[in-house]
């Protein structure tokens, strides 16, 4: 190991798993040329190229529990055993860099102590940290002597594409470049050198057992001349799980939970080490085990086990807040809540946020549970301010024994959550203001802490205020940020549910604000925002008329406060297209048309086939309306749209689908609100063959004459009426 200023010595017991692998010489001395890691009582994991020295002689001895392998001053706990078998990976070839992994069997089991014991294996492909440790007795520079003392260095992970710039494909040794069973790590000063081969690349993870447990991530394989700060290459242990376990079993080693279960292994490590953490470790951040507060409840279902383990927070004597995702499973709703003292209370009503939908379950993911009676527990208080006075918070979770635990965390910018690749799918538009992003920077052993879904997010150290609800994230937000629901984002909805007014629609039905004019921003008493717009340009005003809601006029009755008027340029363009549709496309309408210029075929394009099983109606240059049930009728969503007239194939065009927007209240069972928008990747160029149809925007009156087209039954361009094709009324 190149001895730059980042090099660090080690203490006895810090690397209890590490083994020096040696070759006994004719004069009885041992030449220590490789390292390895004890992974079972009689097996060492090392590099396959360590199976022979330059004379093609196999190693015969392994030494553990020692720091200075050339001195007898620290030999009190050392154990030196004969290597009786070397098992190289069957795909390894000397002189080639791939599959550089091997097992070495010892003559007998080691005697487990605080200074000699197996390391835990990290068997997941995703490495739980970007900062790792390597150790060895290798040379201190390219032409130097091997180190007498065990040295360690902290390395940073490097992605394989970046690593390939330093280790390009070519030659016999690395014909295919860096492959997926290899990983790379680097330090600006330190390098791995000859003699470090086979040694460990490990990560120390918070275990909540009182120590940070080491997990073997990689095996040192190769690098370039040491001292150049070029990434070293390691064999990724997780890629060889099956082979390692298979070889251990073939050679008499039982695959115990300590080998395969990270929690069990970490607990054994804690017992063996005497709960001693080595190196620059941080506090474990656990606040309380078997934690329960009076206002946290668990949700239960009648006659069946809960589909998911969900909790809620009492915010009124008879009101519990929880996640909307926790309120339904296969059509059933939770029937009661259970408090920490085992008191159970029946749920009277379940009120889910009206904009929550199963198609976007992490938006508007909040619900109110009204209880049949009043709880004796003191409720928590909701925090409805937009900002938080502190960043330190308390998070509730379950530990490996399903005990409730309380851990500390920190609110972090939304960009931290948006940077998490796995959140790109559940949050296609990114983390929003309705979310709380929180994390603890230290990685945790899997399942040592799982989020208690629906439980409260509270400030630390002590407060009765609830800022949000746990929603999504692994390991309670350790290492990778977790996401919660922010209560303040849903203040208006919660007020409408919890603080209903006696007769809001009869108060000030019409109001004229003489200070407002066209294009001014305006706001209704119920909180609805808008823009002052001439009445003829505001079809949305009809909805307020129909529902007998307050009308706000700006200066005079010709200008109205138009609800939800577009404030960004993209949305304004769409609104203008809807409002100006008849005039904008009048020149494209001819007597020869059969109304197919607006119709769309929606299809599934696979590798070798295309099927069009859904239909829709072009309502803008990038938008198509269709039925949600048809679009969701297959395992995958459709990916293409064909436009241009069903009867004129020669002029049709194919467009790729960018996004689907399903009605938030769509119900698969009842087929209510069975409607969806298909957004195209590129805009349609309006022509006689393809141009948008206009939307009827008057919500109080319907056209006298209406037609429904059955796209599937076409004879000589005449379409028969079949209402079921387009879905039921929403």
């Amino acid at each position: 190991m190149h001895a730059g200023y980042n090099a660090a010595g080690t203490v006895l017991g810090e690397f209890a798993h590490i083994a020096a692998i040696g070759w006994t010489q004719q004069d009885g001395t041992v030449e220590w040329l490789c390292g390895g890691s004890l992974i079972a009582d009689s097996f060492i994991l090392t590099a396959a190229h360590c199976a022979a020295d330059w004379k093609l002689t196999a190693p015969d001895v392994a030494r553990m529990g020692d720091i200075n392998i050339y001195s007898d001053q620290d030999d009190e706990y050392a154990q030196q055993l004969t290597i009786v078998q070397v098992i190289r990976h069957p795909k390894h070839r000397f002189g080639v860099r791939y599959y550089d992994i091997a097992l070495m069997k010892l003559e007998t089991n080691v005697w487990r102590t605080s200074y000699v014991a197996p390391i835990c294996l990290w068997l997941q492909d995703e490495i739980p940290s970007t900062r790792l440790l390597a150790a060895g007795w290798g040379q201190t520079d390219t032409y130097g002597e091997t180190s007498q003392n065990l040295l360690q260095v902290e390395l940073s992970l490097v992605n394989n594409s970046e690593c390939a710039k330093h280790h390009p494909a070519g030659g016999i040794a690395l014909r295919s470049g860096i492959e997926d069973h290899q990983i790379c790590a680097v330090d600006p000063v330190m390098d791995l050198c000859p003699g470090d081969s086979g040694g460990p690349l490990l990560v120390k993870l918070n275990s909540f057992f009182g120590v940070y447990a080491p997990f073997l991530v990689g095996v040192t394989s190769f690098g370039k001349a040491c001292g150049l700060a070029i990434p070293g290459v390691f064999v990724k242990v997780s890629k060889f799980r099956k082979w390692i376990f298979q070889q251990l079993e073939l050679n008499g080693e039982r695959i115990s939970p300590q080998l395969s279960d990270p929690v069990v292994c970490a607990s054994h490590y804690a017992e063996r080490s005497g709960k001693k953490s080595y190196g620059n470790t941080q506090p474990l951040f656990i606040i309380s085990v078997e934690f329960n507060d009076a206002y946290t409840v668990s949700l239960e279902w009648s006659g069946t086990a809960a589909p998911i383990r969900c909790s809620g927070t009492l915010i009124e004597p008879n009101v519990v807040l929880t996640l909307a995702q926790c309120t339904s499973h296969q059509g059933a709703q939770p029937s009661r809540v259970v408090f920490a003292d085992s008191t159970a209370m029946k749920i009277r009503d379940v009120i889910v946020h009206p904009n929550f939908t199963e198609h976007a379950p992490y938006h508007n993911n909040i619900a109110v549970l009204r209880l049949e009676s009043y709880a004796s527990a003191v409720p928590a208080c909701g925090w409805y301010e937009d900002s938080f006075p502190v960043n330190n918070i308390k998070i509730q979770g379950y530990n490996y024994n399903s005990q409730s635990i309380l851990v500390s965390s920190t609110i972090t910018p939304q960009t931290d959550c948006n940077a998490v690749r796995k959140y790109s799918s559940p949050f296609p538009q990114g983390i929003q203001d309705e979310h709380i992003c929180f994390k603890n920077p230290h990685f945790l052993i899997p399942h040592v802490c799982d989020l208690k879904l629906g439980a409260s997010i509270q400030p630390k150290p002590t407060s009765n205020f609830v800022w949000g609800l746990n929603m999504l994230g692994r390991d309670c937000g350790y290492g990778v940020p977790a996401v919660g629901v922010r209560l303040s984002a849903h203040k208006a909805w919660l007020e409408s549910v919890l603080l209903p007014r006696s007769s809001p629609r009869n108060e000030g039905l019409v109001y004229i604000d003489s200070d407002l004019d066209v294009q001014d921003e305006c706001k209704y008493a119920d909180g609805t925002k808008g823009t002052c717009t001439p009445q003829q340009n505001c079809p949305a005003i009809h909805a307020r008329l129909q529902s007998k809601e307050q009308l706000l006029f700006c200066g005079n009755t010709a200008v109205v406060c138009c609800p939800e008027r577009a404030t960004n340029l993209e949305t304004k363009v769409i609104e203008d297209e809807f409002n100006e549709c008849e005039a904008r496309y009048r020149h494209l309408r001819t007597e020869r048309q059969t109304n197919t210029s607006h119709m769309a075929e929606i299809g599934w394009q696979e590798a070798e086939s295309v099927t069009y099983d859904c239909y829709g109606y072009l309502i803008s240059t990038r938008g198509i309306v269709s039925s949600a049930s048809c679009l969701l009728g297959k395992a995958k969503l459709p990916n293409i749209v064909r436009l241009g007239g069903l009867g004129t194939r020669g002029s049709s065009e194919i467009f790729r689908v960018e996004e689907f927007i399903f009605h938030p209240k769509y119900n698969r069972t009842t087929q209510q609100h069975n409607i969806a928008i298909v957004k195209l990747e590129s805009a349609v160029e309006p022509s006689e063959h393809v141009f948008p149809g206009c939307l009827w925007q008057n919500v109080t009156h319907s056209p006298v004459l209406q037609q429904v087209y059955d796209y599937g039954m076409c004879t000589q361009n005449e379409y028969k009426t079949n209402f079921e094709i387009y879905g039921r009324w929403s």
Side-chain angles (χ1 to χ4, degrees):
M1 187 169 289
H2 176 60
Y5 64 81
N6 281 0
T10 60
V11 296
L12 206 59
E14 186 176 359
F15 290 87
H17 59 277
I18 199 165
I21 296 172
W23 283 253
T24 303
Q25 306 300 303
Q26 290 184 355
D27 60 1
T29 61
V30 178
E31 192 172 3
W32 306 101
L33 300 179
C34 279
S37 297
L38 191 71
I39 64 168
D41 288 337
S42 61
F43 284 90
I44 291 170
L45 192 66
T46 185
H49 75 262
C50 291
D53 63 5
W54 63 277
K55 296 180 289 187
L56 300 182
T57 303
D60 62 345
V61 64
R63 187 172 180 84
M64 293 141 289
D66 202 354
I67 296 296
N68 189 332
I69 53 177
Y70 296 98
S71 169
D72 58 5
Q73 293 183 0
D74 61 348
D75 288 355
E76 181 180 358
Y77 304 104
Q79 299 181 44
Q80 188 164 308
L81 298 174
T82 299
I83 297 171
V84 296
Q85 186 180 4
V86 178
I87 309 166
R88 288 168 51 222
H89 192 279
K91 291 187 178 182
H92 177 259
R93 299 292 181 268
F94 287 110
V96 179
R97 304 295 197 185
Y98 304 119
Y99 301 98
D100 191 12
I101 191 168
L103 285 163
M104 294 184 178
K105 185 175 183 179
L106 304 177
E107 60 181 317
T108 187
N109 289 349
V110 298
W111 177 36
R112 291 196 186 196
T113 68
S114 295
Y115 311 102
V116 177
I119 190 174
C120 302
L121 297 178
W122 185 256
L123 299 173
Q124 299 182 25
D125 280 346
E126 184 180 359
I127 297 173
S129 178
T130 57
R131 302 296 293 171
L132 307 172
L133 288 174
W137 288 275
Q139 295 173 199
T140 54
D141 58 57
T142 303
Y143 304 105
E145 299 290 331
T146 56
S147 172
Q148 292 189 353
N149 292 302
L150 180 64
L151 297 178
Q152 63 173 310
V153 63
E154 188 175 279
L155 302 176
S156 297
L157 274 179
V158 177
N159 64 57
N160 282 14
S161 58
E162 179 66 26
C163 187
K165 297 177 183 177
H166 302 280
H167 302 283
I172 297 175
L174 207 61
R175 187 183 301 274
S176 302
I178 301 299
E179 293 198 345
D180 69 346
H181 70 270
Q182 296 168 312
I183 52 176
C184 302
V186 71
D187 179 81
V189 176
M190 290 292 296
D191 274 324
L192 299 170
C193 293
D196 292 321
S197 292
L201 181 69
L202 61 90
V203 60
K204 289 184 177 181
L205 297 181
N206 190 332
S207 68
F208 287 171
F209 296 112
V211 296
Y212 279 72
F215 282 79
L216 186 65
V217 170
V219 173
T220 304
S221 180
F222 69 93
K224 291 191 174 180
C226 54
L228 301 180
I230 292 174
V233 182
F234 303 80
V235 177
K236 194 172 185 179
V237 171
S238 64
K239 295 295 185 180
F240 295 92
R241 170 182 181 150
K242 183 177 179 180
W243 177 78
I244 292 170
F245 285 4
Q246 182 183 58
Q247 295 306 313
L248 292 177
E249 287 185 313
L250 288 174
N251 288 275
E253 183 72 34
R254 185 176 68 89
I255 307 302
S256 65
Q258 185 176 346
L259 269 171
S260 59
D261 189 320
V263 174
V264 174
C265 187
S267 66
H268 279 269
Y269 175 84
E271 292 174 6
R272 190 270 307 162
S273 67
K275 295 191 176 181
K276 182 187 294 184
S277 283
Y278 298 93
N280 185 26
T281 56
Q282 300 293 323
L284 298 179
F285 301 100
I286 189 166
I287 299 174
S288 176
V289 178
E290 295 189 272
F291 165 82
N292 289 290
D293 58 38
Y295 43 78
T296 298
V297 301
S298 58
L299 276 55
E300 291 190 354
W301 271 253
S302 295
T304 181
I308 52 176
R309 192 161 53 175
C310 278
S311 299
T313 301
L314 188 74
I315 62 163
E316 296 287 345
N318 67 331
V319 174
V320 168
L321 283 186
T322 188
L323 301 179
Q325 71 183 71
C326 290
T327 61
S328 179
H329 176 64
Q330 296 181 351
Q333 294 181 329
S335 59
R336 65 178 192 168
V337 300
V338 180
F339 290 82
D341 62 1
S342 299
T343 300
M345 299 184 69
K346 291 183 178 180
I347 298 171
R348 188 188 74 192
D349 296 313
V350 176
I351 307 168
V352 177
H353 194 289
N355 293 331
F356 172 77
T357 167
E358 62 185 50
H359 309 299
Y362 300 115
H363 294 281
N364 302 301
N365 191 3
I366 189 169
V368 167
L369 307 179
R370 288 192 184 274
L371 308 181
E372 286 191 352
S373 55
Y374 291 87
S376 59
V378 177
C381 300
W383 181 267
Y384 299 111
E385 299 296 326
D386 291 335
S387 60
F388 301 129
V390 297
N391 287 330
N392 296 326
I393 57 175
K394 300 179 292 185
I395 300 299
Q396 297 184 47
Y398 296 102
N399 69 5
Y400 55 95
N401 285 329
S402 294
Q403 296 171 306
S404 293
I405 59 175
L406 190 66
V407 298
S408 62
S409 192
T410 303
I411 292 178
T412 188
Q414 293 177 352
T415 51
D416 283 2
C417 279
N418 284 328
V420 180
R421 186 170 54 186
K422 71 173 185 176
Y423 289 160
S424 61
S425 177
F427 299 99
Q429 298 177 349
I431 304 298
Q432 304 293 311
D433 288 339
E434 65 170 303
H435 301 124
I436 303 174
C437 184
F438 58 91
K439 72 174 181 179
N440 190 303
H442 303 278
F443 285 84
L444 191 64
I445 295 170
H447 306 304
V448 167
C449 184
D450 292 325
L451 275 182
K452 186 182 285 189
L453 298 180
S456 61
I457 299 172
Q458 296 181 273
K460 180 186 174 185
T462 303
S463 173
N464 198 41
F465 281 106
V466 175
W467 291 359
L469 306 176
N470 291 338
M471 181 174 69
L472 179 67
R474 74 175 193 196
D475 303 333
C476 293
Y478 278 71
V480 177
V483 185
V485 177
R486 183 193 297 261
L487 294 195
S488 61
H490 301 289
K491 177 182 177 181
W493 176 72
L494 289 171
E495 285 181 344
S496 71
V497 174
L498 302 178
L499 303 173
R501 297 179 181 178
S502 55
S503 56
R505 292 180 180 175
N506 295 327
E507 298 174 6
L509 188 61
V510 176
Y511 178 72
I512 300 177
D513 190 336
S514 58
D515 294 329
L516 294 176
D517 203 349
V518 176
Q519 296 301 315
D520 285 348
E521 292 183 358
C522 51
K523 186 176 181 180
Y524 284 92
D526 61 4
T528 301
K529 295 180 180 180
T531 302
C532 291
T533 306
Q535 272 202 56
Q536 66 269 22
N537 295 335
C538 182
I541 201 64
H542 296 292
R544 293 191 72 87
L545 276 170
Q546 186 181 38
S547 57
K548 297 182 180 179
E549 294 177 298
Q550 181 194 42
L551 295 184
L552 174 61
F553 293 97
C554 305
N556 60 74
T557 55
V559 181
V560 68
C561 180
C562 192
E564 300 177 350
R565 173 65 178 168
T567 57
N568 64 73
L569 181 60
E570 181 180 2
T571 309
K572 284 183 177 179
V573 170
I574 295 173
E575 282 195 12
D576 290 341
E577 185 174 8
F578 285 168
N579 295 334
E580 300 167 8
C581 175
E582 185 175 359
R584 183 177 294 190
Y585 302 118
R586 183 180 296 130
H587 68 289
L588 297 177
R589 298 186 181 93
T590 67
E591 294 180 357
R592 294 173 297 164
Q593 289 173 329
T594 56
N595 292 317
T596 61
S597 301
H598 324 307
M599 297 180 184
E601 297 172 281
I602 304 170
W604 286 256
Q605 184 177 47
E606 302 293 343
E608 299 180 0
S609 64
V610 178
T611 57
Y612 293 93
D613 293 333
C614 286
Y615 300 90
Y617 195 85
L618 188 68
I619 60 172
S620 73
T621 54
R622 289 188 66 190
I624 293 167
V625 65
S626 185
S627 65
S629 59
C630 190
L631 299 177
L632 295 168
K634 296 186 179 184
K636 293 182 179 179
L637 289 170
N639 54 9
I640 60 171
V641 169
R642 182 162 64 187
L643 295 166
L646 277 74
T648 54
R649 294 289 181 238
S651 58
S652 64
E653 295 181 71
I654 304 297
F655 293 82
R656 306 294 299 182
V657 174
E658 177 180 292
E659 182 184 6
F660 295 92
I661 305 169
F662 297 92
H663 194 291
K665 294 184 180 180
Y666 169 55
N667 187 303
R668 287 176 181 264
T669 304
T670 65
Q671 293 298 299
Q672 288 183 310
H673 309 290
N674 187 7
I675 192 169
I677 298 295
V678 180
K679 185 177 179 181
L680 305 180
E681 283 188 356
S682 57
V684 173
E685 186 69 28
S687 68
E688 180 181 330
H689 299 293
V690 181
F691 64 91
C694 299
L695 284 179
W696 181 265
Q697 299 189 54
N698 190 328
V699 297
T700 60
H701 297 81
S702 297
V704 175
L705 180 63
Q706 302 181 46
Q707 290 179 311
V708 180
Y709 293 93
D710 179 347
Y711 306 139
M713 303 179 68
C714 175
T715 304
Q716 297 180 348
N717 292 336
E718 294 296 324
Y719 292 82
K720 299 182 179 179
T721 299
N722 184 345
F723 179 69
E724 291 301 317
I725 288 293
Y726 214 73
R728 305 178 185 178
W729 290 113
S730 59

